[in-house]
């Protein structure tokens, strides 16, 4: 299986179309082909085509989405990228560690790496979709790379990770389907169910949520729950929502 083909690069809210073209070129040179755009400010654009150069064929098929969740449909592992640490710390991975984790997980199905806006990066809500953040350890005095340059560095690491993989199989291949890691869609369904239930139980005040859901996402995200485990947790939520039997 070509693991790089299973790896989506998702650009969120890109404002400069030249960066979209340059990102397509960066990907194609490293053997990546699944580029997706979420709410680009200007696209399609002649600037994108010009910067893509010999990767302009990729741009012809690039899907554009309004919602990040649509671009992520069917994905297992989702990682984000950020030039800086956030206030409430997300688990952080090096470019090498992040690429290895993605390539490893790609053996079990599609995975994604998100890139943010040129001005403001990814929002906290978008980062909530990510299990961890990859930061290129750039110079502290100026750590923010051009978007397409960041795509190039991480595409290169993904290529190295894919080339280094010796075994054709992922550990997940040997598992029955119910023991494989739950997909991002299934996790989102669980988090929505959890939030609704906590509100119903008066544990979570929607007017004063105090990062509770973000902290719980972090907790569950660290454990890579399986399909079966998510089903158990959702069964517990349904039971809790109904209250005690007598
Ligand atoms: N001021 C923004 C900079 C965004 S740069 C911020 O602090 O988030 C645009 C995008 O390029 C980022 O969202 C990220 O996807 C990528 N990027 C830039 N520098 C990076 C770095 N050092 N490590 C990882 N990704 C980086």
């Amino acid at each position: 299986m070509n693991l790089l083909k299973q790896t989506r690069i998702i650009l969120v809210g890109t404002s400069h179309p030249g960066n979209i073209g340059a990102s397509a070129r960066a990907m194609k040179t490293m053997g990546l082909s699944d580029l997706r755009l979420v709410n680009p400010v200007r696209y399609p654009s002649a600037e994108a085509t010009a910067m893509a150069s010999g990767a302009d064929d990729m741009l012809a098929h690039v899907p554009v989405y309004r919602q990040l969740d649509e671009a992520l449909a069917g994905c297992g592992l989702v990682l984000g990228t950020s030039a800086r640490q956030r206030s409430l710390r997300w688990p952080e991975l090096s470019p090498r560690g992040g690429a290895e984790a993605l390539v490893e997980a790609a053996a079990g199905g599609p995975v994604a790496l998100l890139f943010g806006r040129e001005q403001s990066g990814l929002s906290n809500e978008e980062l909530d979709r990510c299990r961890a953040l990859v930061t290129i350890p750039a110079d502290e005095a100026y750590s923010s790379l051009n978007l397409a340059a960041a795509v190039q560095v991480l595409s290169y690491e993904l290529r190295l990770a894919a080339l280094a993989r010796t075994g054709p199989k992922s550990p997940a291949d040997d598992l029955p389907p119910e023991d494989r890691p739950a997909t991002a869609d299934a996790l989102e369904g669980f988090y929505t169910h959890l939030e609704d239930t906590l509100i119903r139980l008066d544990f979570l005040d929607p007017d004063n949520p105090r990062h509770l859901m973000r902290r719980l996402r972090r907790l569950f995200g660290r454990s890579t729950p399986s399909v079966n485990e998510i089903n158990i947790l959702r069964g517990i939520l349904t039971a809790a929502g109904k209250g005690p039997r007598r």
Side-chain angles (χ1 to χ4, degrees):
M1 185 197 304
N2 188 333
L3 300 173
L4 294 176
K5 303 281 179 234
Q6 293 273 70
T7 307
R8 296 179 195 169
I9 299 291
I10 303 182
L11 306 185
V12 182
T14 310
S15 47
H16 197 305
N19 279 334
I20 297 173
S23 296
R25 181 176 186 174
M27 287 173 62
K28 188 169 176 178
T29 55
M30 296 297 125
L32 288 146
S33 55
D34 194 342
L35 172 63
R36 298 172 181 224
L37 308 178
V38 179
N39 289 325
V41 175
R42 272 194 295 137
Y43 190 81
S45 152
E47 282 168 82
T49 310
M51 288 300 282
S53 193
D56 54 349
D57 58 320
M58 256 174 76
L59 292 186
H61 310 289
V62 167
V64 180
Y65 301 90
R66 295 196 69 80
Q67 301 290 337
L68 174 58
D69 284 336
E70 292 166 13
L72 288 175
C75 272
L77 181 61
V78 178
L79 299 181
T81 55
S82 173
R84 64 194 156 95
Q85 263 303 331
R86 308 279 165 152
S87 51
L88 184 76
R89 291 167 70 93
W90 266 252
E92 197 181 314
L93 290 171
S94 67
R96 197 142 299 173
E100 281 166 1
L102 285 166
V103 165
E104 174 84 30
V111 297
L113 184 59
L114 311 188
F115 291 82
R117 298 160 189 79
E118 289 91 333
Q119 299 306 320
S120 55
L122 293 163
S123 69
N124 282 344
E125 289 66 35
E126 289 154 359
L127 291 168
D128 280 339
R129 299 289 179 274
C130 304
R131 200 169 300 162
L133 284 188
V134 179
T135 298
I136 299 165
D139 196 275
E140 278 167 29
Y142 187 34
S143 62
S144 178
L145 278 74
N146 162 264
L147 170 61
V151 172
Q152 184 74 74
V153 169
L154 286 160
S155 297
Y156 173 66
E157 287 293 345
L158 285 163
R159 182 167 188 81
L160 289 190
L163 291 174
R165 254 184 77 94
T166 42
K169 294 206 303 181
S170 132
D173 285 349
D174 294 330
L175 296 172
E178 67 272 18
D179 289 339
R180 293 190 190 147
T183 62
D185 309 337
L187 281 174
E188 279 315 306
F190 165 65
Y191 290 133
T192 307
H193 195 168
L194 178 61
E195 186 170 17
D196 291 347
T197 308
L198 293 177
I199 292 171
R200 271 183 65 181
L201 296 175
D202 278 339
F203 186 81
L204 171 61
D205 177 359
D207 297 326
N208 186 19
R210 295 166 165 265
H211 297 309
L212 178 67
M213 288 311 299
R214 192 155 291 145
R215 289 180 200 280
L216 290 172
R217 278 171 180 270
R218 201 99 342 114
L219 170 65
F220 288 109
R222 276 202 305 277
S223 67
T224 318
S226 68
V227 171
N228 192 27
E229 286 161 346
I230 286 294
N231 286 340
I232 293 170
L233 288 168
R234 293 198 64 162
I236 293 171
L237 290 177
T238 303
K242 284 187 193 142
R245 206 170 297 159
R246 58 186 126 152

